[in-house]
Amino acid sequence: MLVKMLIAGFGGQGVLSMGLNIAEAAMLEGRNVTYLPSYGAEVRGGTANCTVAISDEEIASPVASSPEFVVAMNQPSAIKFQHHIQSGGLFFLNSSLVETEILRGDIEIVHVPANKMAEELGSPKVANMVMLGAFTRKSGVVEFDSVIQALRHTLGSKKKLIDVNEKALVKGYELY
Amino acid sequence: MRWSAPRLPSRSTVSKVLMDGNSAIAEAAIRAGLRCYFGYPITPQNELTEYMAMHLGRKKGCTFLQAESEVAAINMVYGASLVGARAMTSSSSPGISLKQEGISYLAACELPAVIVNMQRGGPGLGSIAAAQSDYFQATRGGGHGDYRTIVLGPSSVQELADMTMRAFDLADKYKIPVMILGDGVLGQMKEPVEFKREAPEITPTREGTLQGAGGGASRIVKTFTSNPSELEEINWSLFRRYQLIKKNETTWDTYMTDDARLVVVAYGIAARIARGAIKSLRAKGLKVGLFRPVTLWPFPDEPLRELVKNVRQLLVFEMNMGQMIEDVQLALAGKGEVSFYGRPGGVIPAPDEVGRVMSRLYYQKGLK
Amino acid sequence: MKLIYTRPESLKKAAFHYCPGCGHSVAHRLVCEVIDEMELRGRTIGIPPPGCSVFAYNYFDVDMAESAHGRGAAVATGIKRACPGIIVFTYQGDGDLAGIGTAETIHAANRGENITTIFINNAVYGMTGGQMAPTTLSGMKTTTTPYGRDPATEGRPMRMSEMLAPLEGVAYIERVAISSPANIRKAKKAIARAFRMQIDNRGFSMVEILSPCPTNWKMTPVQSWKWVEEEMTRVFPPGVYKDVTEPENAG
């Protein structure tokens, strides 16, 4: 079974590291995975996105024209990518920053006040981890344990950072 | 649901790492005994140069150098190869055009080197998106003069790593520049990859290279001669080596071709996309398969000729306006029927799109 | 009997193909004498350029490797980085070094590549038949400046020694002239000094040699040597432009 997800937002919101975390988690689970970031001038312009594909079989293309899951961390991404989602797909919106109304009735919309929840934790930077927690819970594409494991690997010896990121992950995970 | 602390196997039991194609090439090259890397920034291959800066530059006896130009970089590779070091450079389409001068000299002087081209859309500055725009340039030598380089066409991050190691071995074995022809997506995407060699402690030096004459006779590495028959012999000697490479090193891959009525011919990222399409169509009962040249030069024309004894209809799929199709047609010399589907400019078609083209052709040609 | 003059060991027993009066043969011999005297033959690689001196490998009895036009400094960089124990010199003309290879030259110098460049400045492209070089004098007639080099449209002669000397990677630059026995002796000293810099890992060293080209200048050998002395040195004054071991020339 092949699933594809697209994660988008402003540069600096940690959308690429969210995607990487999911990809690492899938790899830890022994599955095939591809991760493709937007690159070059597009990124320099201030918006970033990445595509992750996970499958138990070979993955033909790392590009997603109609992903099952889209995460929009900001308003421009919500507007740009709302029409890309497959029918029946999930649309994760960072409701702290996204005000636009999504008019599609064939997808499920998941509101996550990621920035607000991160601020409540005292570290606004981990909004992406709040979203990642909620995404993991709601999408079920990877195990939450694998996400934690991947995070610990990425951050290595930075114990303090791991703690705050884990807290945010758990908070997002427990939202739904 | 409350979450409790994970109990997963420790990471050390997983031998794979998630790595982008550019970095994977760099790591594989270091493990293949690379001593000198010379590069110049260009998207979408910068991760390769940056990885070398981080990991090769600090290695004992090794050199990372950001050259002032692509032209300088390839000529530095030439210098390092002259004295027996494993040397490489990497770039993307416009930069590879600039390197052609040096590649011609490497070929002429029978010097091994590895050149990576992470292709992007062209012509001109084009785009930074992935394309297969440089097939002609890569497989026809590329620069001036009558020469060839070995060209490898990987289609996954794992293959980028494996083929990088193979590229160095081939370069040394045949004293020839070897090009790895990737593209922007292969370079940028991350996939789990496993490295099959450990880096050597001391990077090897090829035997018989210039080191200063010592107490013996001095040697000359050159191609220029005012005697046409001398140069003719040089060309013949290169040609004989190319024939040997053709005989020994031609590599290809097939997927579900045994009972196929329609076979797609594609390489690199396009082959991978086609493979996905074939899998879906097979599930619907269409007898389709894939022929993938792995060495783009030498092109696997003999196996392709074998294939058309059983399959009449071929579809060449490339991310350009039709370049490899000329090799397919040359190989088949009028046998079989060859159709083409191409998306140039950096557009990456989805497997579904290629699948639609295939099934349309399948029904149009009455292959059902 | 005391031997006072003989063929240097690093110079092959071959008759030069250079024109009578040409400076290349003198420059070749000087480099070979220095290589012998400093006992460098066994660990030296020379990089000749396309141009009249492309055949330098027929004369220098040291390991030699051809370079693409203008890329000598890049090729030498590759050699030196891969094998720092090798002594590398490039032998380049003015079109090669100051025209098509300007970028390679400047950047190798700026990086302080530990290589030695012998720069033959004869103010024309020699082998291709005497076209204008970056160092062609203002008003000088060549096959591509048949009415004389016009600074208004073709620029003025480029002074490479002056340009390169301020770069911090440069250890030593001297301009000499092949125009008289005394100046030839000076040239040899400069070449030896340049190689010494490389042996001592000081950085980039270059000797610019003003060199006669009687054929393309359409002069007799004697006239051409005089022309170097009287005309070229006015635009390209000989002297030490950089010497990091001498406080007054340390730049």
Side-chain angles (χ1 to χ4, degrees):
Chain A
M1 170 66 179
L2 171 73
V3 286
K4 290 193 175 181
M5 59 219 76
L6 187 143
I7 303 163
F10 290 126
Q13 274 188 307
V15 296
L16 299 187
S17 64
M18 269 171 85
L20 258 181
N21 193 307
I22 297 167
E24 284 254 0
M27 184 182 72
L28 290 172
E29 292 173 8
R31 301 157 78 191
N32 289 320
V33 60
T34 64
Y35 162 90
L36 182 67
S38 57
Y39 59 89
E42 196 186 353
V43 179
R44 312 285 178 262
T47 60
N49 73 73
C50 65
T51 305
V52 181
I54 299 172
S55 176
D56 294 319
E57 295 174 37
E58 288 167 25
I59 297 163
S61 171
V63 180
S65 45
S66 54
E68 283 87 351
F69 306 102
V70 171
V71 178
M73 287 298 282
N74 66 359
Q75 176 87 1
S77 306
I79 294 165
K80 184 173 175 190
F81 292 110
Q82 61 169 311
H83 300 293
H84 290 228
I85 310 173
Q86 241 176 56
S87 262
L90 283 183
F91 195 10
F92 292 83
L93 292 180
N94 176 9
S95 51
S96 307
L97 298 181
V98 176
E99 290 167 348
T100 189
E101 207 178 328
I102 307 300
L103 298 171
R104 282 181 66 177
D106 62 337
I107 54 172
E108 189 184 336
I109 294 165
V110 183
H111 292 279
V112 181
N115 285 69
K116 189 166 156 273
M117 288 168 72
E119 271 159 35
E120 283 163 17
L121 281 169
S123 40
K125 275 192 157 177
V126 294
N128 64 334
M129 289 293 125
V130 173
M131 178 60 91
L132 180 58
F135 177 83
T136 310
R137 174 87 176 94
K138 205 65 185 151
S139 69
V141 291
V142 284
E143 296 292 326
F144 191 58
D145 285 0
S146 320
V147 172
I148 295 281
Q149 184 89 356
L151 176 80
R152 288 180 185 175
H153 167 251
T154 310
L155 294 179
S157 58
K158 295 168 192 153
K159 183 86 183 67
K160 257 186 153 172
L161 260 181
I162 292 176
D163 281 350
V164 62
N165 278 282
E166 278 192 16
K167 255 188 213 155
L169 273 172
V170 172
K171 195 156 184 205
Y173 190 75
E174 288 173 345
L175 186 65
Y176 287 97
Chain B
M1 192 185 81
R2 286 216 81 81
W3 170 78
S4 60
R7 277 178 299 278
L8 277 174
S10 89
R11 212 194 131 72
S12 60
T13 61
V14 182
S15 60
K16 290 187 173 180
V17 284
L18 190 69
M19 215 180 223
D20 63 86
N22 286 325
S23 303
I25 292 177
E27 178 62 30
I30 292 169
R31 286 172 187 248
L34 176 74
R35 195 192 305 168
C36 296
Y37 172 89
F38 305 100
Y40 185 84
I42 183 169
T43 308
Q45 65 81 53
N46 294 314
E47 294 77 11
L48 206 169
T49 314
E50 288 163 0
Y51 194 97
M52 291 296 188
M54 185 73 91
H55 299 283
L56 183 73
R58 289 273 175 96
K59 216 171 155 239
K60 196 169 176 291
C62 294
T63 294
F64 162 82
L65 184 59
Q66 180 176 327
E68 63 272 23
S69 69
E70 302 284 8
V71 178
I74 190 74
N75 281 285
M76 289 171 185
V77 166
Y78 172 88
S81 183
L82 266 174
V83 291
R86 283 196 158 177
M88 86 184 275
T89 184
S90 63
S91 188
S92 179
S93 308
I96 295 292
S97 293
L98 288 168
K99 290 192 197 294
Q100 293 304 336
E101 171 194 79
I103 297 172
S104 171
Y105 278 73
L106 284 162
C109 296
E110 303 180 21
L111 292 171
V114 173
I115 300 124
V116 176
N117 180 1
M118 286 306 187
Q119 298 171 91
R120 54 190 255 184
L125 197 51
S127 79
I128 58 167
Q132 297 184 319
S133 46
D134 304 341
Y135 180 91
F136 281 152
Q137 185 196 53
T139 57
R140 269 64 181 165
H144 65 281
D146 201 347
Y147 74 95
R148 301 280 181 159
T149 61
I150 295 175
V151 184
L152 305 175
S155 66
S156 67
V157 174
Q158 183 65 55
E159 280 193 354
L160 285 174
D162 295 346
M163 286 191 195
T164 299
M165 292 180 182
R166 186 180 173 210
F168 280 101
D169 295 342
L170 286 172
D172 277 1
K173 185 174 173 190
Y174 295 102
K175 299 193 174 103
I176 188 172
V178 178
M179 179 170 282
I180 296 169
L181 194 63
D183 64 73
V185 164
L186 282 173
Q188 292 294 322
M189 72 189 275
K190 294 193 184 202
E191 278 189 298
V193 57
E194 193 172 4
F195 295 99
K196 290 160 187 162
R197 279 188 218 173
E198 290 295 326
E201 281 193 14
I202 300 163
T203 56
T205 298
R206 230 163 49 252
E207 300 216 342
T209 52
L210 296 192
Q211 297 291 324
S218 61
R219 290 164 298 174
I220 300 168
V221 174
K222 58 127 190 172
T223 57
F224 185 72
T225 167
S226 43
N227 179 357
S229 65
E230 193 185 326
L231 186 56
E232 186 179 33
E233 184 39 48
I234 291 175
N235 274 281
W236 270 105
S237 139
L238 290 176
F239 179 75
R240 283 189 289 271
R241 182 140 2 118
Y242 298 156
Q243 293 297 96
L244 193 66
I245 293 168
K246 226 171 157 58
K247 190 168 144 254
N248 295 341
E249 309 296 345
T250 304
T251 316
W252 69 96
D253 187 19
T254 58
Y255 176 66
M256 295 193 164
T257 50
D258 283 352
D259 63 341
R261 292 172 187 168
L262 166 66
V263 167
V264 178
V265 185
Y267 79 94
I269 191 84
R272 184 180 169 135
I273 292 167
R275 212 175 147 104
I278 288 161
K279 201 183 282 178
S280 311
L281 294 186
R282 278 277 173 178
K284 292 177 193 159
L286 275 70
K287 290 182 174 167
V288 289
L290 173 73
F291 182 91
R292 171 167 83 104
V294 173
T295 52
L296 304 176
W297 195 91
F299 187 79
D301 38 31
E302 197 54 54
L304 198 58
R305 271 197 291 276
E306 277 301 308
L307 186 82
V308 288
K309 286 181 181 165
N310 302 313
V311 190
R312 212 184 139 61
Q313 184 63 48
L314 299 181
L315 171 68
V316 178
F317 164 49
E318 298 178 73
M319 278 154 58
N320 58 43
M321 289 305 285
Q323 299 190 20
M324 186 177 69
I325 188 175
E326 294 193 3
D327 278 340
V328 173
Q329 287 167 329
L330 277 171
L332 298 183
K335 302 226 168 49
E337 207 172 312
V338 184
S339 302
F340 179 75
Y341 186 63
R343 293 299 301 269
V347 175
I348 302 155
D352 288 354
E353 177 184 335
V354 181
R356 283 195 295 277
V357 175
M358 287 165 68
S359 56
R360 189 182 70 212
L361 195 64
Y362 200 82
Y363 290 110
Q364 275 176 344
K365 300 284 177 183
L367 304 172
K368 198 167 164 249
Chain C
M1 194 171 71
K2 197 179 159 213
L3 186 67
I4 53 162
Y5 190 85
T6 185
R7 178 184 291 277
E9 238 184 84
S10 302
L11 193 63
K12 287 180 183 166
K13 287 193 179 80
F16 285 122
H17 73 286
Y18 299 116
C19 309
C22 168
H24 275 309
S25 17
V26 178
H28 281 20
R29 186 188 162 94
L30 293 180
V31 174
C32 288
E33 283 180 0
V34 167
I35 288 173
D36 281 2
E37 284 162 25
M38 298 178 94
E39 297 180 347
L40 299 176
R41 180 185 175 272
R43 57 179 180 124
T44 295
I45 297 180
I47 311 291
C52 284
S53 54
V54 68
F55 289 120
Y57 43 66
N58 291 337
Y59 310 119
F60 283 88
D61 193 11
V62 300
D63 278 2
M64 300 285 279
E66 184 180 278
S67 154
H69 195 20
R71 317 297 174 221
V75 174
T77 297
I79 292 173
K80 196 72 181 184
R81 294 292 184 116
C83 296
I86 291 174
I87 300 295
V88 193
F89 74 91
T90 68
Y91 188 100
Q92 300 177 258
D94 39 42
D96 192 77
L97 181 137
I100 199 165
T102 320
E104 284 79 3
T105 306
I106 288 179
H107 287 275
N110 189 54
R111 285 191 304 267
E113 293 295 341
N114 202 30
I115 59 176
T116 300
T117 291
I118 308 298
F119 169 34
I120 306 295
N121 178 359
N122 61 13
V124 283
Y125 280 77
M127 194 189 220
T128 46
Q131 294 84 359
M132 180 186 74
T135 49
T136 295
L137 273 49
S138 298
M140 184 174 166
K141 283 185 181 170
T142 70
T143 58
T144 50
T145 52
Y147 308 107
R149 181 176 187 165
D150 180 358
T153 52
E154 281 133 359
R156 290 179 190 279
M158 271 170 79
R159 298 181 175 100
M160 293 307 289
S161 290
E162 287 87 333
M163 268 176 68
L164 294 172
L167 299 176
E168 285 181 33
V170 174
Y172 177 74
I173 288 186
E174 181 167 352
R175 184 185 285 128
V176 295
I178 292 179
S179 55
S180 67
N183 285 338
I184 288 170
R185 274 196 296 277
K186 263 191 201 164
K188 183 177 167 183
K189 264 192 200 149
I191 293 166
R193 189 126 192 86
F195 275 97
R196 172 51 60 194
M197 295 289 167
Q198 183 176 171
I199 293 163
D200 295 345
N201 290 315
R202 291 285 187 167
F204 184 82
S205 53
M206 182 176 92
V207 180
E208 176 176 349
I209 302 176
L210 305 180
S211 177
C213 181
T215 299
N216 285 309
W217 294 352
K218 304 194 181 356
M219 293 180 192
T220 66
V222 174
Q223 285 170 334
S224 71
W225 283 49
K226 215 172 148 204
W227 198 77
V228 170
E229 181 80 44
E230 289 170 6
E231 299 299 324
M232 277 190 87
T233 54
R234 261 198 266 178
V235 183
F236 302 109
V240 178
Y241 285 86
K242 180 85 166 268
D243 184 342
V244 287
T245 64
E246 296 283 338
E248 69 271 23
N249 291 320

